[in-house]
Amino acid sequence: MLKKSIEYGEINGVSFANGTVSFNAITLNVYSYMVDGVLIDTGAKSLKKQFAPFLLSKNYDQVVITHHHEDHTGCAALIEKDRNIPIYIHEMSVNDCLKPSDYPLYRKLFWGKRDPFKAKPLSTSFSSRTAKWDVIETPGHAKDHVAFLNRNTGQLFSGDLFVQPRTKVILRNESIPQIIASIEHVLTLDFGEMYCCHAGFVKNGRKVLEQKREYLLELKQKVLDLYQNGMNPSQIHQIVMKRKYPITKLSFGEWDSMHIITSILNESKQMISN
């Protein structure tokens, strides 16, 4: 049976709701943020009752979404029904948002089945009530992934770019090299504290992103060195990623540490072929 909970709070002028879903040994969470009249991500439909008091009581003029995954878009239809305000997402996902969601059963179990909603394409920047914001392309976790930087405060809303400093499992379609490039791009910008959609508030945002970049760069180099020494992906996986994680079995391999290895090797092969 699923266990659900919600936490509400405010940090440095940013209001948040943090919803959690637990099933057996797996616990997943997701944040929605509201600052200066902007709602950032909407939470999951499975947590609709938990997120509703936050989403329907806060005073905001627009919604911006970091990427299309159902834990970030799940309550967008609720907002669309409740108030007449624009909802923005990367242009490549606008049409998909109009369609019923289609993803594996285990994801519906945890996050619910997202309802269709109308979204407008994000530009490269936008304005809130008192600030200017940059929309930063940060693909890797998802092709349409973006982060939002408040130019006035230096607050970075990083979506799923960070999550944790030492990545152990990723989705089949994720790319470690792209994530590295996105982190490196963000690190060229002027920001301080970070608001992650799973780790929450991170005061020393730049430092932890630097730590994640270094970890991923070292991991990438180790994988490439082992491959150049004649090891195949399975052998590399056994050396580099020794633990097994419950999400791998539950997701029938959609989440797997093996995808870390293959994404690194695939990029290397593409570079050689080019």
Side-chain angles (χ1 to χ4, degrees):
M1 183 177 179
L2 290 177
K3 295 181 180 179
K4 304 176 184 179
S5 63
I6 194 84
E7 174 193 12
Y8 308 111
E10 183 173 334
I11 301 173
N12 296 344
V14 178
S15 299
F16 68 83
N18 176 26
T20 301
V21 180
S22 299
F23 179 75
N24 292 340
I26 301 173
T27 297
L28 303 176
N29 79 301
V30 66
Y31 279 79
S32 176
Y33 295 105
M34 199 286 294
V35 59
D36 199 37
V38 179
L39 183 78
I40 301 169
D41 286 347
T42 72
K45 187 183 177 185
S46 65
L47 291 162
K48 180 179 176 180
K49 290 183 180 179
Q50 288 76 16
F51 271 99
F54 178 81
L55 300 175
L56 303 183
S57 68
K58 293 296 181 181
N59 180 13
Y60 52 93
D61 316 308
Q62 57 186 313
V63 180
V64 294
I65 297 176
T66 58
H67 60 297
H68 70 281
H69 288 165
E70 63 276 8
D71 49 332
H72 300 259
T73 58
C75 291
L78 172 67
I79 296 169
E80 181 181 58
K81 183 179 180 181
D82 181 73
R83 46 182 86 182
N84 183 27
I85 60 173
I87 301 173
Y88 296 97
I89 197 168
H90 196 291
E91 62 180 356
M92 70 174 64
S93 296
V94 168
N95 288 336
D96 288 339
C97 293
L98 293 169
K99 306 170 186 175
S101 54
D102 182 21
Y103 40 84
L105 180 61
Y106 81 96
R107 287 167 63 175
K108 294 176 185 176
L109 170 69
F110 275 97
W111 298 130
K113 188 175 181 180
R114 175 192 58 74
D115 293 322
F117 65 96
K118 294 179 182 178
K120 296 183 177 182
L122 281 162
S123 185
T124 56
S125 63
F126 65 90
S127 297
S128 59
R129 293 173 181 175
T130 65
K132 297 289 187 180
W133 294 68
D134 289 319
V135 178
I136 308 155
E137 298 268 354
T138 49
H141 172 66
K143 291 182 179 180
D144 65 338
H145 195 284
V146 295
F148 304 112
L149 175 61
N150 186 321
R151 296 181 197 171
N152 296 47
T153 65
Q155 294 169 320
L156 177 72
F157 293 82
S158 58
D160 285 2
L161 181 63
F162 171 65
V163 182
Q164 59 182 353
R166 299 175 70 87
T167 301
K168 299 299 182 183
V169 293
I170 63 173
L171 285 163
R172 182 176 287 111
N173 293 330
E174 287 191 66
S175 167
I176 291 298
Q178 277 195 332
I179 291 171
I180 293 172
S182 291
I183 291 173
E184 289 179 335
H185 174 48
V186 169
L187 288 173
T188 66
L189 306 174
D190 185 15
F191 72 96
E193 59 194 34
M194 180 171 65
Y195 295 80
C196 172
C197 280
H198 296 286
F201 171 69
V202 183
K203 183 177 181 180
N204 53 342
R206 180 173 297 277
K207 182 178 180 180
V208 298
L209 272 182
E210 288 173 345
Q211 290 173 344
K212 186 180 181 86
R213 175 190 62 184
E214 294 310 307
Y215 165 76
L216 292 177
L217 284 172
E218 291 176 6
L219 178 61
K220 177 182 174 181
Q221 192 58 53
K222 188 172 184 179
V223 169
L224 292 175
D225 288 345
L226 291 171
Y227 185 71
Q228 289 168 5
N229 287 333
M231 291 191 178
N232 63 40
S234 295
Q235 292 170 324
I236 296 170
H237 183 243
Q238 290 175 359
I239 294 173
V240 176
M241 298 291 178
K242 298 179 180 179
R243 279 191 60 188
K244 292 184 178 180
Y245 296 89
I247 191 67
T248 300
K249 185 176 181 180
L250 180 68
S251 68
F252 297 98
E254 187 179 33
W255 285 92
D256 199 329
S257 52
M258 185 65 180
H259 304 324
I260 294 174
I261 313 300
T262 54
S263 74
I264 292 170
L265 294 179
N266 286 341
E267 187 217 34
S268 177
K269 292 173 183 176
Q270 289 173 5
M271 291 177 65
I272 292 172
S273 64
N274 292 334

